[in-house]
Amino acid sequence: MRTEDVLAAIATGLWRWDNASGTVTLDAEAARLLGLPARPATLTEAAARSRFHPVDWNEVDGIVHLALAEGTLAEVRLRIMDEHGHVLRTVRSRSKPVLNGSSYLLIGTIQEVAEPQPGTTAAHPSITGDWRRSREAFLLDAGRALAEARSTSEVLRVAASLSMPGFSPDGLAVFGVAGERLTIIGHHGHNPGDDGPFTDMALDTDYPAADVVRNGRAIYLPSPQEYRRRFPATWPMAQRFDRQSWAFVPLIVAGRTIGAWMAAFKHPVAFTPDERSVLTTVARMLAQALARAGEAENEREFSLGLQRSMMPTLGPEIPGMTVAARYVPTGGGLQVGGDWYDMIPLPGGSSTDGGGGRFALVIGDVQGHDVRAAGLMGQLRIALRAYASEGHSPDAVLSRASRFLYGITESYGLPEPTGDGHDGYTDNAPRFATCLYIEVDPATGTLDIARAGHPDPVIRTADGTALIRPTAGGLPLGIEADSDYPTTRLVLDSDETIMICTDGLIETGGHDMASGWTRLRPVLELHTGDSLEQLADELVQAVHGPSSHHTTGPLVDRREDDIALLLLRRNDVAAPLGTTPPEVVRRTALTVAQAEPQQIAGARRQLRELLHDWADEEQVDSAVLMISEMITNVLVHTDGDALLVAEARGPLGTRRLRVEVADASDELPHRRRPGEMASSGRGLILMEMLADAWGVDPRGDGKSIWFELYESGPAGADNPAA
């Protein structure tokens, strides 16, 4: 009797599915089972596929590839549909897939099976539509959870929490490869120390996980007897865990086996094709998640090492002064960029006593947030330290640094479009850097400041008022080969703090310079206590929120731009016994050059900030009007610059404001009688009308015009000066 006749007698048909030619060959019984006339037939792949339920067909490809990978039979259950979309019958196919290049050939049998009835043992969830839906939902949730895991430990926690539909393992282990050794990356469902014998094992060991790593194929052991038969040497190691079934599945990424995943069960598991498909899919997702987490951890370790090598320590304590610093890298990628700060000891002694102690504070920002920006930052920082250590003045240090940066980037050529629709720079385009350099004399509190396109510093006075301190400046470093950087000198009084930062602290979160400063100012003014470190934390947290990571201060996760921050405070000097403590003074100063009349607006703004809590708004308006007239007169009637110094002293409500505008001309102003249509000549008349006191003081190198206002609001009505 022929084989076909025997198979037909037991209602079993033969088919041959050729993926390369797109044809399906059926014998008479197979044709009958597919709802066709009972005679041999050859169908196109599309015609054969139309006979199957669409949901069932979607599983065929995955099961075939699983069988190809494992070298096993492809077993699948399929519902046969008629031309009206009704289910005729359910069949089971068992086929041996043979790989033919990129295509495959299936040769196997097809046999009708009875649909399970509710309440019978045949209605096991592993062979019902409900099980399929549960499996699909499980794989979707597992994929989402593993995709969100950011570290190896998180991946392992997710893997341990997976509850597979119908056959959840109670013991898991993830094996990795280190050279020629098998290691355990993590495990779950075992007692501490249970992993000892498996922690460091040679790859040629007769152990299932080692075999999987060597060959790249899964091993399923449905019973202890099967484990003992196939791996007698290592069976005693597994026997003590009292498990009934084991699956060892390779972890493969980009065609490379990076380890193995073990799922162990206390109940027997048959490892049907559906169950093997779930295990293989989870292993594939687990391998991808472990690879991503490993790469991310390597990048984080690299970036932290790069940060530690580039960020300086603040050095020993400075008598009479306190310094605090923070560096917060941008999020994503290697988390490195072009922002930096530095503290540089300077040669020579103090300008007053010949002793040591002078130092420089530097803060800067190289354009970009990538490795090249970090590399240029490192080179520029070294150059600045070298120029400062040679004893150059602040303006000379920045001029040399600009020439240095221009020289190392000019060979890259002109900026070009990036090609992504945005105006930007190619990787090889020149880059510039902003920088602020402060030479500090701790003995006197003198600060000599040179600025290259960087945000101005902020002064927090002894009474807690925070003011942006305008300083002269030049172009960012590297724009031109030769640039000038004028120096601004100011004195940090007792208990005053200067803040310098990169624009990331101000502009993060969609803010510009104005709105960003409005956000930060209350943090500075409402800070209480003597801790400069706490103030630095509060400033960073105002932008990003709290963080548990620290890199010379908090390292946070929600970042748009690098942040570098430096705070310098001149400590309060206690008054000698028997003397009155020094009066609280709030002061600002500004030079308005002949070539920069637009700075008059900055002077008005600076005075309003100084008097932001003055009791009488009309007095503030009067003061602003008077300084506009005084500075304008200097620029119009002399050839020199105007130096504005304003200070408010005394307790709130009874303060005295004194404003001086000095110039180098010896010609004293005189009162004029302007006509009704005159455009000038009203400056002294305004001061006489609006000021509580005013005058002109000749000096050896020019003159100073001054006025005073006494706070006269409700709190200052009893001001004796008034």
Side-chain angles (χ1 to χ4, degrees):
M1 184 177 291
R2 296 185 309 155
T3 303
E4 291 84 348
D5 296 334
V6 174
L7 292 175
I10 57 174
T12 300
L14 290 174
W15 69 348
R16 184 176 185 274
W17 193 301
D18 190 344
N19 182 248
S21 64
T23 59
V24 180
T25 303
L26 308 171
D27 69 358
E29 183 61 19
R32 184 190 70 80
L33 291 173
L34 264 62
L36 299 171
R39 58 175 179 267
T42 299
L43 307 178
T44 64
E45 193 174 75
R49 189 170 59 196
S50 67
R51 313 301 299 178
F52 304 129
H53 193 288
V55 173
D56 298 346
W57 170 255
N58 290 336
E59 299 183 6
V60 171
D61 191 61
I63 291 175
V64 169
H65 282 88
L66 174 65
L68 285 169
E70 296 180 353
T72 57
L73 292 176
E75 182 175 345
V76 61
R77 297 171 65 91
L78 298 163
R79 285 169 290 181
I80 307 301
M81 314 295 293
D82 63 16
E83 59 271 15
H84 303 294
H86 300 132
V87 177
L88 286 175
R89 60 180 63 86
T90 300
V91 299
R92 176 189 291 115
S93 168
R94 290 189 177 93
S95 306
K96 176 66 175 178
V98 179
L99 196 61
N100 182 18
S102 59
S103 303
Y104 56 82
L105 178 67
L106 289 177
I107 302 174
T109 62
I110 182 171
Q111 183 180 33
E112 185 173 3
V113 295
E115 283 291 342
Q117 299 299 316
T120 66
T121 57
H124 190 276
S126 65
I127 57 173
T128 65
D130 289 342
W131 188 88
R132 287 192 178 98
R133 288 190 290 271
S134 297
R135 182 189 66 182
E136 290 167 0
F138 160 74
L139 292 176
L140 183 63
D141 290 341
R144 184 184 300 114
L146 287 170
E148 293 174 354
R150 296 186 178 183
S151 65
T152 300
S153 59
E154 287 184 25
V155 172
L156 295 175
R157 281 198 301 273
V158 171
S161 66
L162 297 179
S163 180
M164 301 181 192
F167 68 113
S168 292
D170 68 290
L172 302 172
V174 177
F175 297 87
V177 181
E180 295 298 319
R181 312 292 294 182
L182 190 71
T183 62
I184 287 187
I185 299 175
H187 61 88
H188 173 72
H190 305 88
N191 296 321
D194 283 349
D195 58 337
F198 310 93
T199 300
D200 185 19
M201 181 182 293
L203 279 181
D204 58 0
T205 304
D206 186 28
Y207 179 65
D211 189 297
V212 166
V213 171
R214 289 195 307 268
N215 300 315
R217 287 190 172 185
I219 293 176
Y220 299 102
L221 304 171
S223 66
Q225 294 78 15
E226 181 69 8
Y227 196 130
R228 183 169 55 248
R229 182 185 69 80
R230 295 187 59 181
F231 300 96
T234 53
W235 163 246
M237 299 167 59
Q239 184 177 8
R240 62 191 180 93
F241 295 108
D242 194 27
R243 299 271 165 55
Q244 298 300 310
S245 300
W246 299 260
F248 292 84
V249 190
L251 299 175
I252 300 175
V253 177
R256 182 174 63 91
T257 303
I258 64 171
W261 175 47
M262 181 199 76
F265 304 82
K266 283 191 174 179
H267 58 275
V269 178
F271 297 119
T272 65
D274 283 331
E275 291 166 342
R276 297 203 310 273
S277 177
V278 170
L279 290 167
T280 302
T281 303
V282 172
R284 187 162 53 246
M285 294 188 295
L286 180 60
Q288 295 288 343
L290 286 171
R292 286 193 303 269
E295 290 176 1
E297 288 168 350
N298 289 338
E299 288 180 353
R300 283 194 291 269
E301 185 62 30
F302 174 77
S303 64
L304 288 174
L306 189 59
Q307 291 170 25
R308 294 189 189 102
S309 67
M310 290 185 171
M311 286 297 110
T313 58
L314 292 179
E317 292 186 2
I318 305 160
M321 288 193 160
T322 305
V323 184
R326 293 291 182 269
Y327 171 66
V328 184
T330 185
L334 292 179
Q335 298 185 354
V336 295
D339 289 26
W340 89 96
Y341 66 84
D342 206 350
M343 179 174 172
I344 308 169
L346 298 178
S350 166
S351 59
T352 58
D353 60 6
R358 289 189 315 122
F359 62 94
L361 292 179
V362 189
I363 198 162
D365 180 2
V366 175
Q367 177 202 21
H369 310 110
D370 51 19
V371 174
R372 184 175 169 235
L376 286 175
M377 176 267 285
Q379 293 176 282
L380 185 57
R381 176 175 160 243
I382 292 171
L384 281 162
R385 290 186 70 90
Y387 298 139
S389 299
E390 290 174 354
H392 296 294
S393 60
D395 58 327
V397 170
L398 290 192
S399 293
R400 285 166 167 77
S402 183
R403 189 178 302 116
F404 168 80
L405 185 59
Y406 181 85
I408 64 175
T409 62
E410 66 174 343
S411 61
Y412 292 124
L414 295 175
E416 298 176 359
T418 57
D420 58 0
H422 300 85
D423 291 334
Y425 290 89
T426 62
D427 288 341
N428 291 328
R431 300 199 189 189
F432 60 83
T434 65
C435 184
L436 192 143
Y437 181 98
I438 305 178
E439 186 176 298
V440 184
D441 187 344
T444 62
T446 301
L447 309 179
D448 289 324
I449 304 173
R451 188 170 59 87
H454 202 79
D456 282 305
V458 172
I459 299 293
R460 184 180 189 271
T461 61
D463 68 348
T465 303
L467 302 169
I468 296 176
R469 179 61 169 86
T471 55
L475 292 172
L477 305 179
I479 296 291
E480 294 180 353
D482 296 304
S483 297
D484 294 327
Y485 298 96
T487 301
T488 301
R489 171 168 288 190
L490 60 90
V491 176
L492 204 61
D493 289 333
S494 178
D495 208 27
E496 287 189 339
T497 301
I498 184 171
M499 180 190 85
I500 56 177
C501 65
T502 54
D503 57 6
L505 184 68
I506 303 173
E507 295 182 334
T508 294
H511 288 274
D512 56 19
M513 278 292 176
S515 62
W517 166 236
T518 300
R519 173 179 57 174
L520 286 179
R521 183 174 185 171
V523 180
L524 284 162
E525 295 190 333
L526 297 178
H527 171 75
T528 58
D530 297 329
S531 173
L532 213 58
E533 295 290 335
Q534 182 181 350
L535 176 58
D537 288 344
E538 291 172 1
L539 287 166
V540 173
Q541 290 171 11
V543 176
H544 291 302
S547 171
S548 58
H549 306 284
H550 292 76
T551 303
T552 319
L555 175 64
V556 293
D557 294 327
R558 300 178 299 279
R559 302 183 288 278
E560 301 170 16
D561 194 4
D562 304 336
I563 291 175
L565 168 68
L566 272 173
L567 297 172
L568 172 69
R569 183 178 65 206
R570 192 177 186 194
N571 297 331
D572 187 16
V573 180
L577 292 176
T579 63
T580 303
E583 189 177 19
V584 174
V585 178
R586 187 186 296 179
R587 179 185 296 111
T588 188
L590 178 68
T591 298
V592 180
Q594 279 282 337
E596 298 178 334
Q598 67 273 13
Q599 286 293 333
I600 297 177
R604 291 195 295 262
R605 184 172 59 253
Q606 190 72 5
L607 186 62
R608 285 194 181 276
E609 286 200 1
L610 186 77
L611 303 178
H612 71 92
D613 55 355
W614 196 264
D616 189 343
E617 278 293 330
E618 290 187 2
Q619 284 187 309
V620 176
D621 293 337
S622 297
V624 170
L625 177 59
M626 285 187 283
I627 67 164
S628 294
E629 286 289 334
M630 294 161 67
I631 296 173
T632 301
N633 283 338
V634 171
L635 299 185
V636 171
H637 299 295
T638 75
D639 295 328
D641 302 336
L643 173 62
L644 167 70
V645 178
E647 67 175 31
R649 63 174 64 230
L652 293 178
T654 60
R655 288 170 291 185
R656 182 187 68 182
L657 170 69
R658 182 180 177 90
V659 177
E660 296 185 18
V661 175
D663 63 78
S665 172
D666 294 330
E667 182 180 351
L668 299 180
H670 57 276
R671 182 172 179 175
R672 293 184 285 172
R673 296 184 181 274
E676 186 175 327
M677 302 299 293
S679 60
S680 63
R682 294 187 175 86
L684 297 185
I685 296 176
L686 283 173
M687 292 175 64
E688 190 173 76
M689 294 173 57
L690 301 176
D692 292 314
W694 68 279
V696 180
D697 295 337
R699 295 180 176 178
D701 56 351
K703 64 181 180 297
S704 171
I705 306 174
W706 60 271
F707 70 84
E708 291 183 351
L709 289 177
Y710 310 127
E711 195 169 16
S712 57
D718 298 329
N719 191 333

